[in-house]
Amino acid sequence: MTTTSRTGDVGPAAPGRAPALLRTAAELDALPRPTGAERAVVMTMGALHEGHAALIRAARTAAGRDGQVVATVFVNPLQFGEAADLDRYPRTLDADLEIAAAAGADAVFAPGVDEVYPGGEPQVRITAGPMGERLEGAARPGHFDGMLTVVAKLLHLTRPDEAFYGQKDAQQLALIRRMVRDLNFGVRITGVPTVRDPDGLALSSRNRFLSTEERHTALALPRALFAARDRLAAQQALHERAKATAPGSDRAAGLNRMGEARAAADAQAVALARPNGAPAAVRAAAQAVLDEAAARGRLPLAVDYLALVDPADFTEIPDDRESGEAILAVAARVGDTRLIDNITLTFGALT
């Protein structure tokens, strides 16, 4: 595929048409904005996969036929704590351009480090604050400061009406939303659901580093999240069934009469407890899967954290939480590859 830059009149991309490849801020600034329509942006570090393609397709749908979709490809050195991790990160620009074209991008902005940080690393940076010190921030000090700094720069350079980010990086998405709100960026931030392979593993550019055995071990992450989701759904369903029977000690007998003998004892216990006192059960269900994988797996699974957090600030959800949304997040290392995953849970509603 030809990757020559073209900065002339850029209309909506036809499927498979090569997007304009822009290497400099000047080329990006010269990219004509759509008249009477919006520009949507998808920021990536390259090594694109179907998850990135889903982001670009979502941007294409939002921008509409007359709008414009710009994807950025930039491996940001400020986000890497170790030089080895930065060097190891895959660079696949030709393949990235093909994926971006198929998904409907009109242009790809792929600058070099010197273009984004002329004169070296910036002295002034965005600070992520307390939320940026939790979970991923604790595991990777400075990571979110570097992420927000480059996102701020790319938002200024691309000047979108709307920017799209994956829910898989839930803490990153929450921090970007907070930065945009706190610093009055004039852009809408939209999250796109996590894309998974048929076996459940969340798509990631790092998955290519997993051997067949390592991938089998890594499947404990989505299994743990799904076990927690199923436990919450079961507990809330049991509570709803218990409420539908006669009050007090007649609940178990009522369920028995309904042919629910096996569930009666659990339903009675749940009904007499808090309506949805499930955070501890959710954590326990996920932890059990991870513990079993660590004990029985042929390859080690080193868990960094398993946390049930508030989506607004990523603080831990208390055990007496009865309603509202929460994010169950997990991070673990399999071999030399570190993976993250999460799901959103809703307490107080049947799922």
Side-chain angles (χ1 to χ4, degrees):
M1 175 177 179
T2 302
T3 60
T4 55
S5 174
R6 54 183 179 84
T7 57
D9 185 23
V10 178
R17 190 187 78 181
L21 175 58
L22 313 173
R23 291 292 201 169
T24 68
E27 289 177 340
L28 179 61
D29 193 54
L31 182 68
R33 293 186 68 89
T35 301
E38 293 194 340
R39 174 182 287 179
V41 164
V42 174
M43 297 181 187
T44 82
M45 290 206 298
L48 302 191
H49 49 64
E50 177 57 27
H52 297 109
L55 289 171
I56 296 171
R57 287 195 296 269
R60 179 79 270 161
T61 299
R65 179 172 180 175
D66 297 326
Q68 188 179 77
V69 175
V70 178
T72 70
V73 173
F74 178 65
V75 183
N76 179 30
L78 301 188
Q79 292 176 228
F80 291 83
E82 299 179 7
D85 289 339
L86 175 61
D87 293 340
R88 187 178 183 229
Y89 197 87
R91 277 90 166 165
T92 58
L93 183 57
D94 285 346
D96 294 345
L97 290 169
E98 293 179 2
I99 292 173
D106 299 302
V108 172
F109 179 49
V113 174
D114 291 342
E115 185 68 24
V116 177
Y117 301 122
E121 293 189 1
Q123 296 185 29
V124 177
R125 307 187 187 195
I126 302 290
T127 300
M131 190 183 357
E133 297 172 358
R134 299 171 186 138
L135 300 188
E136 282 301 290
R140 305 166 67 186
H143 166 73
F144 285 126
D145 292 355
M147 179 275 295
L148 289 179
T149 297
V150 79
V151 167
K153 292 200 67 153
L154 290 173
L155 286 175
H156 288 314
L157 288 167
T158 58
R159 294 175 290 124
D161 298 286
E162 189 170 8
F164 292 77
Y165 301 90
Q167 181 63 38
K168 184 177 109 31
D169 296 297
Q171 192 172 4
Q172 169 180 283
L173 175 58
L175 281 163
I176 292 171
R177 283 176 166 153
R178 186 67 190 236
M179 177 185 74
V180 166
R181 181 169 68 251
D182 286 355
L183 301 184
N184 298 102
F185 280 68
V187 60
R188 299 190 304 277
I189 302 299
T190 298
V192 176
T194 300
V195 179
R196 299 181 181 277
D197 273 329
D199 60 8
L201 193 66
L203 295 189
S204 169
S205 299
R206 298 178 185 273
N207 289 356
R208 69 187 65 199
F209 298 133
L210 297 171
S211 68
T212 300
E213 285 189 314
E214 287 172 339
R215 185 182 178 94
H216 179 77
T217 299
L219 290 176
L221 272 66
R223 284 203 307 269
L225 298 179
F226 299 155
R229 177 197 61 194
D230 293 346
R231 181 66 186 92
L232 177 61
Q235 184 158 337
Q236 294 184 155
L238 284 171
H239 177 71
E240 291 300 314
R241 292 182 197 178
K243 286 199 304 183
T245 65
S249 60
D250 291 337
R251 282 194 172 100
L255 286 169
N256 273 313
R257 287 193 298 272
M258 295 165 57
E260 302 268 356
R262 187 172 182 180
D266 281 346
Q268 174 76 349
V270 172
L272 296 177
R274 294 186 180 93
N276 295 294
V282 163
R283 292 185 181 96
Q287 189 64 57
V289 173
L290 296 175
D291 289 345
E292 181 180 10
R296 297 187 180 182
R298 289 174 292 181
L299 294 174
L301 176 73
V303 177
D304 280 353
Y305 60 76
L306 173 70
L308 185 67
V309 298
D310 189 318
D313 58 11
F314 275 67
T315 56
E316 283 280 349
I317 294 292
D319 284 342
D320 60 356
R321 171 65 63 87
E322 295 184 359
S323 63
E325 285 196 346
I327 290 176
L328 183 63
V330 63
R333 189 174 293 276
V334 182
D336 295 327
T337 304
R338 188 174 183 278
L339 301 173
I340 63 173
D341 201 352
N342 71 86
I343 57 172
T344 299
L345 300 174
T346 303
F347 292 87
L350 292 176
T351 55

